[in-house]
Amino acid sequence: MTRIPTNSTRRGVLGLIGGGAVWAAMPAHALNGNQAVALVSATVQEVLATVNSGRPAAQLYPAFERIFTRRADIDAMARAALGPAARQLGAQEFAAFRQAMSGYVSRKYGKRFQEFLGARIEIGAARQLKSFWTVDSTAYLRGQTPTKVEWHVSDRSGQARFFNLIIEGVNMLASEREEIGAMLARRRGDVRGLIADLQRAG
């Protein structure tokens, strides 16, 4: 069983907050703005098709997880969310954490995506920020003010994938680093306990 010192984990988590900070020092790849926009457009189409399918929530969440698996850099998101503690895990433990986080994120943000039932989403232009691209979008929900969603896209994994969302100013990756860091601290650094918590959360 891997037990991570909670004080060092907490410092690492708080020190990494900042959305794209993990990617800022990485070399740029061949990804361009058109490819970043294409990824976001394809992801949005899949999300809206899933939301508007009429399926019950129990079937929506696995569908959202499949979308995340295809379109998101889950490996990088998991490492960023866990912070320096990720380097102390063996391959099997990290794979288990990655899988648990994938389901957790899919359920958590799948609930938010369900608000997009009948929505129209406009995709804006892409802007390069150091080693990744940001793509703006606006969701027009029925009876609500428009919702701004910013997508951070990188090809660090070898393919164009998004690794962060900023929804109305709330940074998903920074929020998950804080939340997962707090969960790990409550478990006194017990990663297996953290994985069990993630499997139930969201």
Side-chain angles (χ1 to χ4, degrees), residues 6 179 181-189 197:
T6 55
E179 180 64 25
M183 293 168 72
L184 184 59
R186 287 195 295 271
R187 284 290 189 169
R188 300 182 183 275
D197 290 341

Side-chain angles (χ1 to χ4, degrees), residues 110-181:
K111 292 176 182 176
R112 184 69 189 268
F113 287 151
Q114 289 180 70
E115 298 174 10
F116 292 4
L117 179 67
R120 174 174 59 88
I121 300 180
E122 292 182 355
I123 310 298
R127 294 176 289 113
Q128 190 168 17
L129 295 177
K130 297 185 179 180
S131 60
F132 65 94
W133 291 81
T134 178
V135 179
D136 294 327
S137 66
T138 304
Y140 296 91
L141 285 64
R142 296 183 298 190
Q144 300 185 38
T145 57
T147 298
K148 299 291 185 181
V149 181
E150 181 180 324
W151 306 70
H152 291 175
V153 181
S154 170
D155 65 349
R156 176 176 174 265
S157 66
Q159 301 179 25
R161 293 179 182 270
F162 73 88
F163 63 88
N164 192 18
L165 295 175
I166 299 179
I167 304 176
E168 285 296 315
V170 178
N171 187 309
M172 183 192 82
L173 198 57
S175 297
E176 296 312 327
R177 279 197 291 262
E178 282 196 289
E179 180 64 25
I180 288 173

Side-chain angles (χ1 to χ4, degrees), residues 10-91:
R10 191 63 176 165
R11 287 196 300 270
V13 168
L14 294 175
L16 281 170
I17 291 175
V22 176
W23 278 259
M26 295 180 179
H29 295 277
L31 182 69
N32 60 48
N34 289 337
Q35 291 170 322
V37 169
L39 170 77
V40 173
S41 297
T43 304
V44 165
Q45 289 175 12
E46 287 191 74
V47 167
L48 290 181
T50 301
V51 168
N52 292 308
S53 66
R55 285 181 282 182
Q59 295 178 17
L60 289 179
Y61 298 142
F64 286 132
E65 186 168 6
R66 288 192 292 272
I67 294 173
F68 270 90
T69 299
R70 287 194 302 271
R71 305 294 186 183
D73 190 344
I74 299 293
D75 188 87
M77 292 169 69
R79 293 184 186 282
L82 194 56
R87 295 193 295 270
Q88 301 182 43
L89 299 184

